[in-house]
Amino acid sequence: MRPGGDVVIKVLSNRADLVSGGDALVQVLLPAGVDPAGAKIEVDGRDVTSAFAADRLPGLLTGIPTPNNTGIAPGTNSLLGTLRGLKVGENVIRAILSDGYGARITVTNHPIGGPVFSGPQVQPWICTTSANALGAPTDAQCNAPTTYTYKYKDATTGQMNTYDPNSPPSSGQVATTTTDQGNTVPYIVRDERGVIDRGIYDIAVLDDPSKPWTPWTPQPGWNHKLGFTFGASCAPGHSQGSAASATDDLFLSRGYMKAVSTLNVNGTSCNGITQAESLMMIKEHIVEAYGPIRFTMGDGCSGGAEAQHNIADMYPGLLDGIRPECDFPDFFTPAIWEKYDCQLFTAYFNAAAAMWPALDQAAVTGGPLTPGDCAEQTVFNAGGIGGAADDWQPDGIGCNADGPWKWNATTNPHGTRCTLQDYNVNALGTRAADGYANRPIDNVGVEWGLQALKDGTISAAQFVDLNSKIGDLDINFQPQPQRAQGDLAGIIHMYQTAQISYTANWAKIPEIDARADDSYDEHSNVMRAIDRARIDQAVGSHASQVFWTEPSIGAFGAASSQTHALSFTVMDAWLSNIEKDTSSNSQQAKVVMDKPAEALDACVQSGQFVNQSLCDVVQTTDVLPVNVAGAPTASNVLKCQLKPLDRADYPGVTFTDAQWSDLQTAFPSGVCDWTKPGVGQQPPIGDWLTFAGVVGGTPLGAAPLSVPFGPSTAADQGIPNTGTAPPAPGAVPLLGVVVLLLVGFAIVARPRRREH
């Protein structure tokens, strides 16, 4: 240890082992009394001292600690700079003082096209940069030159017009806005568009092009807050897709930066791991180019809600607050228990229509007055849009692209399969028999319509006929008479990697879910009940979760624009309260204690809180077909444990001997015992999993920390950085040459500290 304290190197823009694109924002903390002018900074022996300077710390950058904001230390004796031109792979950064003491850290840089932790990327990947005003791609990763354009809000019309920095409009033509930091600035928006992680991103922020901007001296139009919108739908896409604009007055007028990416549109890439990686890489770029982020607020409807839940669950810290609308708990939940199951019911009801009046169909599928979710699925499946075909048909339209590479049972049985499980194969793994991704669907023992039978809504004859004849679908989405059996390895991976949301990490961030009434399509109200049941099951409380309901019927349950704006305002206040909370309470406790008064379950009409009775009148309830079959509300049992078929389990129901024989044939191994956990059901194996060469993922472990060294010590002579913290004071047992030679070993042996 250096007398007077050690040098510390901090990579601010991301974890040191997850950096991408060749850049990194780095802070070097110097001991008190050390003159920064005497420090030298190197990357792999290359002098980069000129990239650093002292006193570059903005005033409001403490923020909520995240992987992209590892904690600037304002007011300390330090140097700050952006390193550029890092090579792909390991880069050793050293900060050396004039007395020979210093510190080193290894930064692992990944290509801007990815992957970082998501594992092998899906192929093929169709580039659309030309169609998105970026020109032709420069490589197979679909990279293209980044573009920067400007627009301004017209002071008279309020319209957004093109702004030419070389020939700007008069200042009187440009509207102004006052940010939530009290800064009044011209309403000029800088729009940056480029490619990160094979997705086309768009970043918008208030920016006067006549003034400079650096990460340490950003313009006053940015409040260091980030809004990120996630796109709808769900598809195993193989194309970059069409980029949306990030220009959003709700965010920009208050000083937020807003960002979007095609890879964070579920209809382009229904893969939560890749979406988390994309978000992380974009946030890193923002920190390096614009400056540190105080907090990140997510929003999005339908598939955009799925993405927020998946990322919050699997990669905590990337999102600090979420605003899901038309919500789902994750993308596998509706894909399995609505889209897939309704495919079975649609086919069965079409064949047995005479036996099943509409109300009886509704009783077994969970709809309130009509066949419920499955009614829409009939339309979807017939049109091949938005239904089960998108998610589970290997040669379906879900790939969002076409070509000879697509799977075909006859002509290309080894081609690319357009299924949700194959799109998430890094998490689920593959089957030994055919190399297809493990299938997470299992209906063995599920008694369809069980509660309707017990309620007397359907007859024993209907119950027996349904369960004897509904059949199932095989791995290639073809009808089969027997029930589908899932691949146990894949089912276990689903739990271990939180593909089926576990929700414990949701409790650590605030959530406002605003929605209108919807029990008539796949975005039905039951999804909200599933959210709450899972979070209660995981942590015993839903105090971090706020449900707002509008007394109206919205398309897909979408909230009104006024209520959408209100949720933004309340979430911003909530996150700001948490940011100011310097108590020693846990993050989860702060989320609950720092709630604004408006952050409570409520009935909200057009952005105004109204009497709950208005919502009670129109708020309808429904459940999933599997809930009617006895599954708990949480709907997270992928494969049920079985119990013997027993007449005593059907009080008040009389089966003929022939009917009982048919049930025994339908359930040769028994029926579901919903009082027990699912087969293989378990908590995730950890947060922040990497799938780089590891099927099913493994936790990344501790973030690399800088290692101090002294004059001529072993640590200064090229011993590889282990990414662990230095030994604590007193941990080195001896002094002298022997100790110096053992410093590297002591560092390797020290336990590592998590720094997500």
Side-chain angles (χ1 to χ4, degrees):
M1 174 178 287
R2 180 186 181 278
D6 288 324
V7 177
V8 176
I9 305 174
K10 300 185 72 175
V11 181
L12 300 178
S13 49
N14 210 341
R15 284 176 46 129
D17 53 348
L18 300 180
V19 167
S20 62
D23 302 335
L25 182 65
V26 175
Q27 184 182 25
V28 179
L29 305 178
L30 303 173
V34 171
D35 183 1
K40 178 182 179 183
I41 304 172
E42 300 177 341
V43 176
D44 293 337
R46 172 170 52 96
D47 191 336
V48 294
T49 309
S50 61
F52 290 79
D55 302 321
R56 279 181 166 177
L57 297 178
L60 47 77
L61 296 178
T62 50
I64 298 172
T66 73
N68 299 105
N69 176 10
T70 54
I72 267 189
T76 60
N77 185 25
S78 70
L79 296 163
L80 188 71
T82 301
L83 293 178
R84 305 196 184 281
L86 300 175
K87 68 177 184 291
V88 172
E90 293 188 347
N91 300 259
V92 179
I93 302 174
R94 295 199 315 161
I96 311 165
L97 304 182
S98 58
D99 58 10
Y101 285 91
R104 64 195 302 275
I105 190 171
T106 298
V107 171
T108 304
N109 174 53
H110 302 79
I112 195 64
V116 179
F117 57 69
S118 63
Q121 296 173 315
V122 297
Q123 296 293 346
W125 192 249
I126 311 301
C127 302
T128 61
T129 51
S130 294
N132 285 282
L134 291 176
T138 58
D139 56 27
Q141 293 294 88
C142 298
N143 288 309
T146 302
T147 64
Y148 303 91
T149 57
Y150 290 87
K151 45 196 162 187
Y152 72 97
K153 178 181 281 190
D154 189 283
T156 303
T157 67
Q159 299 298 310
M160 298 300 296
N161 300 323
T162 300
Y163 184 99
D164 182 356
N166 296 316
S167 182
S170 65
S171 58
Q173 288 181 261
V174 180
T176 62
T177 188
T178 301
T179 72
D180 61 13
Q181 305 300 301
N183 298 319
T184 300
V185 296
Y187 205 125
I188 304 171
V189 178
R190 181 193 204 227
D191 189 279
E192 176 187 341
R193 178 168 291 193
V195 179
I196 288 178
D197 208 18
R198 305 198 304 176
I200 299 172
Y201 71 89
D202 199 86
I203 297 171
V205 67
L206 295 174
D207 175 17
D208 184 344
S210 67
K211 298 179 179 178
W213 188 316
T214 69
W216 37 89
T217 56
Q219 291 187 20
W222 185 33
N223 59 16
H224 289 273
K225 303 174 186 177
L226 174 65
F228 203 101
T229 295
F230 298 86
S233 191
C234 175
H238 285 258
S239 163
Q240 279 185 302
S242 299
S245 170
T247 300
D248 186 335
D249 182 73
L250 181 64
F251 287 85
L252 295 174
S253 64
R254 292 158 174 83
Y256 269 75
M257 176 183 287
K258 184 70 182 294
V260 296
S261 170
T262 59
L263 205 65
N264 293 99
V265 175
N266 241 26
T268 300
S269 176
C270 205
N271 183 308
I273 298 163
T274 303
Q275 289 202 33
E277 179 180 85
S278 169
L279 173 60
M280 178 194 72
M281 294 173 71
I282 291 170
K283 288 183 65 174
E284 178 195 335
H285 166 68
I286 289 170
V287 173
E288 291 160 355
Y290 297 89
I293 300 165
R294 289 168 60 188
F295 54 71
T296 303
M297 181 196 300
D299 75 301
C301 169
S302 187
E306 294 172 351
Q308 291 176 78
H309 285 150
N310 283 324
I311 292 171
D313 209 27
M314 296 187 290
Y315 293 90
L318 287 176
L319 291 171
D320 301 301
I322 57 176
R323 296 164 52 232
E325 297 179 0
C326 1
D327 79 305
F328 297 106
D330 53 58
F331 50 75
F332 272 108
T333 294
I336 295 173
W337 289 295
E338 282 190 322
K339 294 182 180 182
Y340 182 94
D341 287 350
C342 286
Q343 179 82 6
L344 305 180
F345 279 100
T346 298
Y348 170 76
F349 287 146
N350 286 342
M355 193 177 187
W356 288 90
L359 290 179
D360 292 0
Q361 292 184 34
V364 299
T365 59
L369 296 173
T370 70
D373 300 326
C374 292
E376 186 187 68
Q377 293 306 316
T378 303
V379 177
F380 276 170
N381 294 333
I385 300 173
D390 273 18
D391 297 334
W392 306 112
Q393 186 168 308
D395 62 350
I397 65 169
C399 282
N400 288 355
D402 207 353
W405 45 268
K406 255 187 179 180
W407 179 92
N408 182 281
T410 303
T411 62
N412 193 16
H414 301 293
T416 300
R417 293 169 60 83
C418 300
T419 73
L420 197 53
Q421 74 260 22
D422 286 284
Y423 202 69
N424 290 272
V425 66
N426 293 349
L428 271 64
T430 57
R431 298 152 44 116
D434 48 29
Y436 300 159
N438 283 317
R439 190 187 200 202
I441 297 173
D442 190 299
N443 286 324
V444 174
V446 177
E447 298 176 273
W448 300 118
L450 177 62
Q451 191 59 49
L453 172 70
K454 291 182 176 181
D455 292 342
T457 308
I458 65 171
S459 67
Q462 287 175 303
F463 177 76
V464 173
D465 192 78
L466 170 63
N467 284 285
S468 298
K469 296 179 181 177
I470 190 170
D472 224 307
L473 299 164
D474 67 14
I475 189 71
N476 292 326
F477 205 64
Q478 297 303 304
Q480 65 179 29
Q482 68 273 24
R483 298 295 180 97
Q485 293 200 42
D487 297 303
L488 183 56
I491 288 171
I492 291 173
H493 284 320
M494 287 278 286
Y495 292 118
Q496 291 180 335
T497 62
Q499 301 299 304
I500 287 296
S501 55
Y502 183 61
T503 76
N505 287 324
W506 293 8
K508 299 175 184 176
I509 62 171
E511 174 181 11
I512 299 178
D513 172 350
R515 66 173 299 134
D517 181 60
D518 188 341
S519 290
Y520 313 102
D521 59 49
E522 61 181 343
H523 303 81
S524 58
N525 298 331
V526 67
M527 291 298 158
R528 172 180 277 183
I530 293 172
D531 288 352
R532 182 147 289 181
R534 289 189 187 175
I535 200 168
D536 283 341
Q537 186 181 79
V539 300
S541 169
H542 54 261
S544 63
Q545 188 179 60
V546 172
F547 286 167
W548 289 350
T549 305
E550 289 210 270
S552 60
I553 299 175
F556 305 117
S560 66
S561 59
Q562 299 95 326
T563 299
H564 176 78
L566 179 64
S567 74
F568 166 86
T569 301
V570 175
M571 179 58 72
D572 177 76
W574 200 347
L575 290 171
S576 297
N577 289 347
I578 296 170
E579 180 185 29
K580 296 171 187 174
D581 189 340
T582 58
S583 71
S584 59
N585 293 319
S586 68
Q587 183 68 19
Q588 185 171 339
K590 290 181 180 180
V591 168
V592 178
M593 296 175 65
D594 298 332
K595 274 185 174 184
E598 302 90 342
L600 297 172
D601 290 356
C603 183
V604 184
Q605 186 172 38
S606 300
Q608 299 293 323
F609 293 98
V610 295
N611 192 284
Q612 181 63 39
S613 62
L614 294 177
C615 287
D616 293 340
V617 171
V618 299
Q619 184 71 9
T620 50
T621 58
D622 66 325
V623 295
L624 300 174
V626 73
N627 302 135
V628 181
T633 303
S635 304
N636 52 8
V637 174
L638 290 163
K639 178 180 179 62
C640 67
Q641 295 194 53
L642 301 176
K643 63 181 181 179
L645 195 63
D646 187 347
R647 286 180 185 265
D649 289 336
Y650 309 90
V653 179
T654 301
F655 294 107
T656 67
D657 289 343
Q659 289 170 341
W660 190 252
S661 177
D662 287 344
L663 286 178
Q664 290 175 317
T665 300
F667 301 110
S669 302
V671 295
C672 288
D673 184 349
W674 299 109
T675 67
K676 297 179 180 178
V679 177
Q681 190 170 5
Q682 60 189 280
I685 58 175
D687 301 331
W688 282 80
L689 303 184
T690 177
F691 298 83
V694 183
V695 173
T698 189
L700 276 168
L705 302 177
S706 67
V707 179
F709 59 77
S712 303
T713 62
D716 191 29
Q717 302 302 318
I719 293 178
N721 179 22
T722 63
T724 60
V732 181
L734 297 173
L735 298 175
V737 176
V738 174
V739 174
L740 295 176
L741 294 175
L742 292 175
V743 166
F745 174 78
I747 292 169
V748 170
R750 180 164 175 77
R752 299 191 292 183
R753 177 169 63 87
R754 296 182 67 84
E755 202 173 77
H756 290 325

